[in-house]
Amino acid sequence: MTLPRTPLILALMSVMALAHASDDTTTEPQATPLAPVHVKADSQRGYHADNSQMDTFGSFGNAPLQDTPAAITVITRDQIDDRQPRTLSELARSDAALGDSYAPVGYYQDIAIRGYALDPATGFRLNEMSLVGEQLQPLEDKQRVEILKGLGGLEAGVVAPGGLINYVSKRPTDVHSATVGTDSHGSRYLAMDVGGWLTPTFGVRVNAAHEDMHSYVQHADGRRTFFSLAADWKISSHATLQLDTDYQTSGQRSVSGYQLLGGNMIPAHPSRTRMLGFEPWQRPVGIDASNSTLRFDYRFSDNWSTQLSAGHSHVVIDDNVAFAYGCFYSADCASGATPGWFFAPNGDYDVYDYRSPDDTRVNDEARAVLKGSFDTGTLSHELSLGTSAFRRTIDRRPYVYDYVGTANIGEVDPPYFAPSPNQPGASARRLTSWQHSVFALDRVHLGAQWQVLAGGRFVRLHERSYDDVGVPERDTRLSKLLPQAAVLWQPTTQLTTYVSYSESLSLGNEAPYWTSNGSTTLAPLLSRQTEAGVKYAWSDALSLQGALYRIRQPYQFAQPDNSAAGFTFVQRGNEVHDGLELNAAGRLTSDLRLTASLNLIQARAQDTGTPGYEGHQVVNVPRLRTALYLDYRLPFAPDLSLLGGWRYASSNVATPNGLTRVPAYHVFDAGLRYTTQWREHALTLRLNVDNLFNHFYWRDTGSSGGDSYLFPGAPRLARLSLTYAF
């Protein structure tokens, strides 16, 4: 259904090349009002941003980042170009509040913000429209990535409490560039970015990329191909229309994570390059994804405007893996003293043939927003009113998940085991979820120094799930008002302080199969957040911000009990995350740019009825993370810049009782950027070396489906790219 877009995009690329054959056809349209101002700002200020989409039509009214009562990080295009990330896990290194949360090599990845894993159903957005999170998100066509840290109830309704990731597309402008790249493992990378104004009122931009990935993990090489189209149409002086659409296909073998030996021991001699459970019949995980957004803006007057938006995100996953999991069939676990859902104490693990083809996830969303400003006596109001409808569906086939043999982590490759003869069944609808919402926000100016924000979203959730043959299993109906309020004090134009309160709703987790109520989905959860923050504009190109926050929601866990299974999955007590964030982004001097962040967090379970699970840090939330990245242009060689980074995470809990932890780590990165000209066109060479000293570390102790995994960090990796503007 999405494949026909490919020839269309190729044809548009040809049209673009012809349209730019003469300079006269593009120079004048660049000055049209549609040309996005933020692109110019990014090129001047590099790592600093003034605005985000979430400020403009999102949760906080029409205001710059300086006036937003929330912690928002903007990863600019310059940062993406300089660091050359390819995955969500690599992108998350930019901010210390982010961390991996079950992010295997060769598979779609998830992250946590402020210690809470994002919900792939609702935690990711493209141009503020809902995006299926179960895909590899390309960055070639993104102008920036916006990270809302904390509750997003007003922004998205039913959403996990950690926050949101919003990808912002590049807009049409006069650009023609090609990038070629490779890395220390021999990968091959090619990308093109072509755009311009075909008429004074209509512009397009096309991005395309192909990558042959040579992974640092044996047997995990892969490939991906990506195309995107952005179009802007200035219909009149009052109306504009923006379209964005993309398609990506990828294939790569998924790499299983380690598990604790016996449920409480870190593997002593893990390998970063070994594929656990590898069998030659294991096929790559194939992911075909298409995403589209459409936005219509209309300005009634200087004070009133409206926006109508729609989004469609469609992902089909062919999930295949020789999965390393547990030790039910290992002789070392035969006594039953070791839980079967961990690796055996001697390093044995079971291998399963898992196949789930045609796993289809679709998100559709429509939204209408009316914005206006008016005065009531001495008070000035900025009002936002809106409504939205969101639907998510999942169609799956009954999968194959069959034991085929037992291997050991000490083996370079496991013995050969024959695959299961069983085949997946017919596809059936597994989930239909609807959210209907109305929302409002009023920003009231109380003189020059004080502002009050008050608003809320009323959401109605109706979700139905079915078993693998389409028989109804669950029907969830819920209505909830989610309030949000904030007070801002701005004693000077450079300094903003705020306090805020917000609520959001998230779906309950599904109980692990090994609990007494396995496969049961628990009730939705209400989360609450209070935050106090300060933002300081050191200069036009450097911003500083700090925030103290508390997030509270019911604690979900497998509680030990006297049931036949030994555990029951429950919501009991609270999980409370108290944290301090510090961030800086921008230009310190004319030659030095930086991004720096620190996240100090205490994440604990309280009142759970299980004393051993309380009083310590919860799983996969390091108490301290830091991230620093520098770009220093040499004064005596202004075409050459030195790049460097440092990442730190304190020891990370790996078991609910807090008795097993992976060690803290420091990781250093380095690089350089060289800019010159060839035939009067810009030429940029970039070299990045991640994990410069090849340090071993555990980057992730997260979970999936209630099971815990350990993922090693990547070894030293060098990436080299050359970008030519033609």
Side-chain angles (χ1 to χ4, degrees), residues 318-536:
D318 284 334
D319 204 343
N320 307 283
V321 63
F323 191 47
Y325 173 78
C327 65
F328 286 102
Y329 296 89
S330 167
D332 210 45
C333 296
S335 68
T338 297
W341 50 90
F342 293 100
F343 285 1
N346 70 342
D348 282 353
Y349 61 87
D350 297 333
V351 180
Y352 292 83
D353 178 4
Y354 178 77
R355 282 171 279 135
S356 179
D358 305 321
D359 185 347
T360 303
R361 319 293 176 104
V362 179
N363 285 13
D364 291 303
E365 185 175 12
R367 184 180 63 185
V369 182
L370 175 67
K371 295 179 66 67
S373 59
F374 58 93
D375 295 333
T376 55
T378 60
L379 304 180
S380 297
H381 299 260
E382 295 177 24
L383 184 66
S384 300
L385 302 172
T387 183
S388 68
F390 167 69
R391 185 187 74 155
R392 177 173 168 89
T393 61
I394 298 178
D395 295 280
R396 300 181 66 183
R397 298 167 64 177
Y399 52 77
V400 173
Y401 185 45
D402 295 341
Y403 169 78
V404 296
T406 297
N408 189 277
I409 61 174
E411 298 165 334
V412 175
D413 281 330
Y416 177 81
F417 306 121
S420 169
N422 296 323
Q423 298 298 321
S427 181
R429 177 61 50 88
R430 303 299 302 275
L431 177 77
T432 300
S433 179
W434 277 97
Q435 288 184 44
H436 293 91
S437 303
V438 292
F439 51 91
L441 177 72
D442 189 12
R443 178 188 289 264
V444 183
H445 294 262
L446 308 174
Q449 296 184 339
W450 292 88
Q451 299 179 40
V452 175
L453 279 75
R457 174 185 285 254
F458 180 77
V459 58
R460 297 185 62 181
L461 171 70
H462 184 198
E463 186 165 280
R464 291 168 292 178
S465 65
Y466 310 86
D467 66 14
D468 56 10
V469 293
V471 176
E473 287 184 323
R474 175 174 59 91
D475 192 320
T476 301
R477 298 171 186 265
L478 184 68
S479 298
K480 186 68 178 177
L481 175 64
L482 304 173
Q484 179 168 305
V487 177
L488 291 85
W489 179 51
Q490 297 174 301
T492 70
T493 56
Q494 292 177 288
L495 179 64
T496 299
T497 64
Y498 66 88
V499 293
S500 67
Y501 173 80
S502 55
E503 295 181 4
S504 72
L505 200 64
S506 59
L507 297 179
N509 288 344
E510 183 177 305
Y513 75 91
W514 41 265
T515 60
S516 63
N517 56 341
S519 301
T520 301
T521 300
L522 301 189
L525 304 166
L526 181 65
S527 305
R528 296 178 173 89
Q529 174 181 282
T530 53
E531 181 170 318
V534 57
K535 299 185 178 185
Y536 184 68

Side-chain angles (χ1 to χ4, degrees), residues 180-223:
V180 295
T182 187
D183 63 26
S184 50
H185 299 290
S187 300
R188 297 183 297 272
Y189 176 77
L190 173 65
M192 294 189 66
D193 185 0
V194 180
W197 294 93
L198 304 183
T199 73
T201 59
F202 184 75
V204 299
R205 189 161 183 174
V206 174
N207 278 265
H210 177 78
E211 186 173 11
D212 290 316
M213 299 171 282
H214 290 197
S215 176
Y216 63 87
V217 180
Q218 298 170 10
H219 315 298
D221 293 349
R223 49 81 192 160

Side-chain angles (χ1 to χ4, degrees), residues 1-16:
M1 191 161 53
T2 55
L3 285 173
R5 297 180 185 175
T6 301
L8 171 62
I9 294 175
L10 290 174
L12 281 168
M13 290 178 68
S14 300
V15 171
M16 291 298 300

Side-chain angles (χ1 to χ4, degrees), residues 292-352:
S292 299
T293 64
L294 184 67
R295 190 176 86 183
F296 174 73
D297 292 287
Y298 189 82
R299 182 167 53 85
F300 298 104
S301 66
D302 291 340
N303 296 328
W304 290 92
S305 62
T306 188
Q307 182 190 85
L308 306 177
S309 304
H312 174 73
S313 182
H314 182 276
V315 176
V316 179
I317 307 164
D318 284 334
D319 204 343
N320 307 283
V321 63
F323 191 47
Y325 173 78
C327 65
F328 286 102
Y329 296 89
S330 167
D332 210 45
C333 296
S335 68
T338 297
W341 50 90
F342 293 100
F343 285 1
N346 70 342
D348 282 353
Y349 61 87
D350 297 333
V351 180
Y352 292 83

